[in-house]
Amino acid sequence: GKDGYRHYMEKELHEHPLVIGQTLQRMVDPASRRVILPDLPFNLAEVPRAVITACGSAFFAGMIGRYWLEEIARLPVDIDVASEMRYRNPPLTEGSVGLLISQSGETADTLAALRSLRQKAIHIVSVLNVEHSTMARESDVVLGTVAGPEISVASTKAFTAQLTVLACFAIATARARGKLDVLAEEHLVSALLDLPSRAAEVFNQTDAIRAMAQVVVEARDVLYLGRGSMFPVAMEGALKLKEISYIHAEAYAAGEMKHGPISLIDRTVPIVATAPSNALFEKTLSNLQEAKARGGRLLVFTDTKGAERVSAIAEQMVVLPHVHDFVAPILQTIPVQMLAYEVAVMKGTDVDQPRNLAKSVTVE
Ligand code: M6R
């Protein structure tokens, strides 16, 4: 049941800390602070490229995975949504690793992409929540997300579990490729192990998130902004808002604003931004300044280190604990999903069963 929560989605949002912790238990050795992968039928050190594909939220998780693989493992990555990948016929390099990401393991497009990658001699590593699914049977390796059953059509905890697995996979790949020494690995794994406690603290911000929701619920259109690994977090926020509140939302890489979307900005189009104090913080802030100067109302997710700067420009903000840059997208996703939930509750939509949608999309 819902354990006293109003909806499955609310219950599943509150499971984020637990699910991140359970997934880490499977993927890291806390004593040595090293990532442990199951035995792979190929050598990670020799993989020339990665190709990532998925649909919906799982695709956004894949986008964040790409940042990690590029950044710490220096591995070239191709990525596309599965419905495009399966018909794109990209010139792939044999022996590359294919990362297929799916909560259900039954999504028709992702399964078809898996089969087409297999035909091109790509090693299939699937990141799956349902470990006895069709995709699981057709994969070389399954990396399980230990999220438990996800009932709500809008994915929440499965997404942070996917990110946790992808972060660990990136660390293992970086080590295999000689890009990460023991100390650096310990440092990243410590940041991951710290996450369940930090994630639990996000719920102290529920009132601030509800205050943001009061603004969003009045809007017809909402813009979500972020840069770097926060761009897919913005995409996840916009998808979740559309999916359950039926409010039109679009995510942009903040630096793209002045190439078009800035002309949309006025008081009626709130701007939701994700801006923790990372390497791109100043760049994001200056994009937000530009939006504010054109009448934009800024609703900003940041962290304790960024709060002072953000408070100078934001109409409302949500302040999260400061964590290592590497794991920040995992933490920042939680309040962005919570915002969509609170807006949907205020609108009175059918949160767990939004119109026109199914939990798993088993037809093309
Ligand atoms: O089961 P899958 O992870 O393969 O599903 C992929 C998408 O259909 C799914 O993430 C969808 O976008 C969610 N409803 C988003 O909340």
Side-chain angles (χ1 to χ4, degrees), residues 215-225 237-238 241-242 245 247-252 264 268-273 297 299 339 343:
V215 176
V216 172
V217 76
E218 300 295 335
R220 210 186 63 173
D221 308 283
V222 183
L223 273 171
Y224 280 71
L225 301 180
L241 189 74
K242 281 182 276 216
S245 78
I247 294 173
H248 170 236
E250 268 189 275
Y252 269 92
L264 288 172
T268 67
V269 184
I271 295 164
V272 176
R297 302 174 69 180
L299 315 175
L339 175 64
V343 172

Side-chain angles (χ1 to χ4, degrees), residues 21-228:
Q22 284 174 175
T23 303
L24 284 172
Q25 259 176 38
R26 238 203 242 181
M27 301 220 53
V28 307
D29 170 32
S32 64
R33 312 221 147 208
R34 278 171 69 99
V35 169
I36 348 161
L37 289 188
D39 288 338
L40 304 176
F42 58 92
N43 185 349
L44 210 44
E46 286 165 9
V47 158
R49 301 181 68 87
V51 42
I52 301 179
T53 190
C55 300
S57 284
F59 172 70
F60 305 141
M63 283 182 73
I64 295 170
R66 167 179 64 174
Y67 285 100
W68 287 329
L69 283 169
E70 289 178 346
E71 177 107 11
I72 68 165
R74 309 299 305 148
L75 186 69
V77 178
D78 294 310
I79 178 164
D80 208 344
V81 289
S83 56
E84 290 296 315
M85 181 68 79
R86 61 183 290 196
Y87 296 119
R88 244 181 64 206
N89 196 17
L92 299 172
T93 314
E94 266 188 39
S96 294
V97 60
L99 283 169
L100 289 285
I101 309 160
S102 175
Q103 188 283 128
S104 62
E106 303 295 347
T107 300
D109 282 320
T110 314
L111 177 61
L114 181 158
R115 289 174 178 159
S116 82
L117 292 179
R118 174 177 291 298
Q119 277 185 351
K120 293 178 172 160
I122 304 298
H123 304 295
I124 306 296
V125 176
S126 294
V127 178
L128 303 174
N129 197 42
V130 180
E131 290 184 50
H132 298 286
S133 51
T134 310
M135 283 179 62
R137 284 195 297 277
E138 299 193 22
S139 301
D140 297 315
V141 181
V142 174
L143 301 177
T145 51
V146 195
E150 192 179 65
I151 309 291
S152 157
V153 165
S155 183
T156 54
K157 59 178 180 167
F159 182 82
T160 48
Q162 285 161 353
L163 291 180
T164 304
V165 167
L166 291 167
C168 292
F169 185 79
I171 291 171
T173 307
R175 183 213 302 151
R177 290 167 61 81
K179 307 290 182 199
L180 200 66
D181 63 27
V182 177
L183 274 177
E185 179 167 353
E186 279 178 18
H187 192 61
L188 295 181
V189 170
S190 301
L192 282 166
L193 288 170
D194 188 40
L195 265 183
S197 325
R198 301 289 82 77
E201 291 169 29
V202 174
F203 300 96
N204 301 336
Q205 297 300 312
T206 304
D207 288 345
I209 294 168
R210 286 188 181 141
M212 273 191 184
Q214 303 275 8
V215 176
V216 172
V217 76
E218 300 295 335
R220 210 186 63 173
D221 308 283
V222 183
L223 273 171
Y224 280 71
L225 301 180
R227 297 185 78 123

